Amino acid sequence: MERRRSFNLMKFLRGISATLLLFLAGTGSLNAEEIGIGVLNGTVATEAAFLNAQPGTLAQEGETWNFITPVTAGKTSATGLKTVRGTSTQAAISFNNPGYCFSNGTFAAAKNRDYLLMDSWAGIRGTENVVISQLPDSMAEYCHVEIYGDCNTTDRDMLYTVNGMVKTIQDRENFSGTFNEGANKITLQYVPVVNGAITITGNGTDSTRSAINAVRLISPAPGTISFTATPPEITEGSAAGAELSWKTWKCGHVTLSTKEGENIPVTTENGTGAITVNPEQTTTYVLNARGEDGTESTAEVTVTFKKQEPEILVFESDKKRVVPGADEEATLTWSTVKAQNLELTANGKNIAITSENGAGSLRVKPTETTLYTLTLTAGDGTQKKQISHHLRSGGKYAQCPGLSGGRHGLAGHLRSFLLSKRPTR
């Protein structure tokens, strides 16, 4: 009986082990190919020193790294790059005319491999570049790219463009053993591979050079390439809303929902999709993409909802002056938002008006110089505002100081202008 229980337990444990192994393989992390490339310019930082040094967080135990010693203002190439597992590939790297090659001197015998990788660098700017070509099949379409940069001389902002994708390292201190995104490394995900190659350029011609100490390429798992909202902010009452658009890679099933769990039906074709949303409050949307290998990726984007304040958008006249005795008319036009009530006065006397959706127009025939004032009253307690415009004898607008207002229950917004009579000649 005990042997049977033990046998069944062993079968159960094997089942668990098999299930766990399949799940881990499905994440893509076990199958990802990686290629690590380091720059060596120092006398102490050598490939032999790398092999003897203790592993670090970047250069880990048992990993194979490729090394190259670029020359200033020349072309230096290396072929047959190996993956971190030691597998040979046809991949090649070329440093094309770097303007400066230097050793920071950060590596010493007691330091680990990370210090060695951050010891030396080649600087590029303008047309100087680094090209990694003939990438393996796992990186034929897209590739994750990590760039490590540390010049260790002065504070320096170093821009990197990788096949059209751009990020910046703000180098502010010497390498102290820790990698920080944006401080001494950048990560660009799903970089599109162009003609089998990755091209890295640095700062512009008139700037200091961008340092390249090390580069790591990683074959990506199926997932979400991009998920954006355009525009990221909408105003209350907006008819257009915001467009959510996404692009996925090797994903057979894509779903969209709000962070609160409301599902939104969408269609994805050839890895791309889009939908227009018009939320009535700030909302975070969640895109879930399931890869062909069972991996899942999640991306989020937030559409900010901005409350529309009561406002007079337009209040104007089509004429600056009218001729007295000529039976001449002028047209007043206005457009407002969130108006509970609109009132028009001429020299302080009310004029009946009709508005539709906060907008309207009225033809007037003043018999004397007249100040027309449009008052918007809202019910949300906003501060009272008054904006005035008048016409001088030259026919040009001059803005009068706004009159200060306080809170008096309902708020009013006023916009005024003076319509003058034009003298006859």
Side-chain angles (χ1 to χ4, degrees), residues 224 226-234 240-246 255-266 275-288 297-305:
T224 302
S226 63
F227 182 36
T228 59
T230 308
E233 180 181 276
I234 62 173
E243 182 182 72
L244 306 182
S245 58
W246 57 90
T255 60
L256 178 67
S257 65
T258 64
K259 201 158 188 178
E260 289 70 32
E262 177 187 354
N263 291 323
I264 303 172
V266 293
I275 189 173
T276 298
V277 295
N278 205 337
E280 296 181 352
Q281 59 185 0
T282 296
T283 303
T284 298
Y285 296 90
V286 181
L287 188 78
N288 184 273
S297 65
T298 299
E300 295 184 357
V301 68
T302 298
V303 176
T304 302
F305 180 83

Side-chain angles (χ1 to χ4, degrees), residues 106 112 114-115 118 150 152 173-179 184:
T106 58
N112 65 32
D114 291 345
Y115 281 89
M118 299 303 286
D150 182 14
N152 267 11
E173 58 184 18
N174 295 352
F175 180 69
S176 58
T178 303
F179 294 106
N184 52 25

Side-chain angles (χ1 to χ4, degrees), residues 78-98:
T79 60
L81 302 180
K82 293 183 178 181
T83 69
V84 295
R85 296 176 183 173
T87 303
S88 296
T89 73
Q90 294 183 341
I93 184 169
S94 177
F95 278 77
N96 299 307
N97 304 308

